[in-house]
Amino acid sequence: MPPIIRKAGRSDLDIMIDWAAREGWNPGLDDAPAFWAADAEGYWVAEEDGVVAAALSLVRYDATYAFLGFYMAHPDYRGRGIGFALWQRAVSNAGDRRIGLDGVVAQQDNYRKSGFVYAHANFRYGGEVQRVEPPGTELVCVSAAHVPMVVAYDARFNPARRDAFLREWLKALSTRESFALIRNAEILGYGTIRACREGHKIGPLFADTETSADLIFRKLVTSVGGGRIYLDIPEPNAAARALCDRYNLKPVFETARMYRGRAPDLPLGQIYGITTFELG
């Protein structure tokens, strides 16, 4: 019998996040509510023998763009075509939308067969970082009053607005905090840091200038007292690589950003950290 393919429920997303941790993707401790808010209809699973055998997310941000992530099969069910059947069903649900994904390098050829085209590499960097408090008073903790400003700024760096996702993501939690650099009532950059299964991950980190990115990075690290920090950067941004070098962050692994449809024209030189490899 073919696998049962269905929309995932909220509890299934917790399973997917646990699987992501098992695969070494190091998800955040409180990612699920924001992921779910982005598109509660955007998560899929395939069942075999009454258990979840494969999973995939296809988060639709608007009528033109979706992002594919969490594409995994349980080790006991790999090599049986279950994951690909799930892929075909979920991708068809995206309609004519442009779809982005961050794929493992070894699977690039398979993604190309499904119409995806390579855009650039993303690299995860990680290492121990000491807290170094940045100067000045222009860095502020993002509050509810700042959310509309941050959402509008964030739209410059993504193929579609992420209003629903960010309204949840920007909530201050004991495990997650966001800071914005605001000068003369204008936002010049912002970033989020969150506790993960291991250490803390920064992302997104968007900034108009390298100096602004450095200040925000330092504020984020200081807010958690330093320690093990991870940052996912687009490879074309030389300033982001320099920031990683400056704070002794080393490459951990690489993925391929690919798109079905024309790659968006994004200001990669101002993207110092993508949100995560699971939800771009």
Side-chain angles (χ1 to χ4, degrees):
M1 292 179 59
I4 297 172
I5 296 174
R6 61 172 175 82
K7 294 284 186 69
R10 176 62 182 79
S11 60
D12 294 315
L13 178 55
D14 292 331
I15 293 173
M16 295 162 73
I17 291 174
D18 285 342
W19 285 11
R22 183 193 64 205
E23 295 295 325
W25 296 355
N26 196 25
L29 299 183
D30 289 303
D31 282 356
F35 284 15
W36 191 253
D39 180 8
E41 297 293 316
Y43 299 88
W44 296 77
V45 295
E47 290 186 344
E48 187 87 350
D49 305 324
V51 300
V52 176
L56 181 150
S57 66
L58 191 66
V59 171
R60 299 160 300 177
Y61 286 104
D62 64 11
T64 66
Y65 181 66
F67 192 85
L68 190 152
F70 284 118
Y71 183 41
M72 300 169 286
H74 189 281
D76 293 344
Y77 294 94
R78 291 175 183 171
R80 296 165 54 174
I82 298 172
F84 186 59
L86 175 62
W87 168 286
Q88 291 178 304
R89 174 71 177 278
V91 169
S92 68
N93 198 57
D96 295 331
R97 290 175 176 85
R98 174 194 287 149
I99 303 174
L101 63 80
D102 284 321
V104 295
V105 174
Q107 293 296 321
Q108 286 184 51
D109 286 342
N110 287 331
Y111 296 137
R112 287 191 180 97
K113 292 174 183 177
S114 294
F116 285 78
V117 177
Y118 179 87
H120 59 81
N122 287 324
F123 283 94
R124 174 162 296 169
Y125 280 73
E128 295 290 327
V129 182
Q130 301 299 314
R131 56 183 294 175
V132 183
E133 181 74 43
T137 60
E138 297 171 327
L139 282 161
V140 300
C141 183
V142 173
S143 68
H146 299 114
V147 169
M149 176 188 295
V150 173
V151 169
Y153 184 78
D154 181 271
R156 293 168 44 184
F157 305 97
N158 290 281
R161 290 177 64 94
R162 307 193 294 176
D163 298 57
F165 168 69
L166 288 173
R167 281 195 295 270
E168 187 69 34
W169 187 256
L170 295 172
K171 291 179 180 178
L173 305 174
S174 61
T175 58
R176 187 171 65 236
E177 195 164 15
S178 300
F179 288 89
L181 180 63
I182 299 175
R183 182 176 300 151
N184 299 325
E186 181 182 359
I187 183 169
L188 305 180
Y190 91 96
T192 299
I193 190 165
R194 71 195 197 275
C196 295
R197 302 293 178 97
E198 177 189 353
H200 288 81
K201 194 183 298 182
I202 291 175
L205 176 53
F206 304 143
D208 290 359
T209 67
E210 184 174 2
T211 298
S212 297
D214 187 273
L215 290 170
I216 298 167
F217 177 89
R218 289 162 61 185
K219 187 67 174 180
L220 293 168
V221 171
T222 297
S223 74
V224 299
R228 190 75 179 174
I229 302 295
Y230 294 94
L231 180 66
D232 301 340
I233 72 168
E235 188 276 335
N237 187 348
R241 297 198 305 273
L243 184 149
C244 291
D245 291 341
R246 196 153 56 244
Y247 294 100
N248 202 35
L249 300 178
K250 304 298 183 183
V252 176
F253 64 79
E254 173 186 357
T255 65
R257 174 57 62 92
M258 304 180 76
Y259 293 97
R260 187 191 75 173
R262 182 177 58 84
D265 184 16
L266 301 177
L268 295 178
Q270 297 176 320
I271 297 176
Y272 291 82
I274 62 175
T275 306
T276 168
F277 288 129
E278 294 85 54
L279 191 74

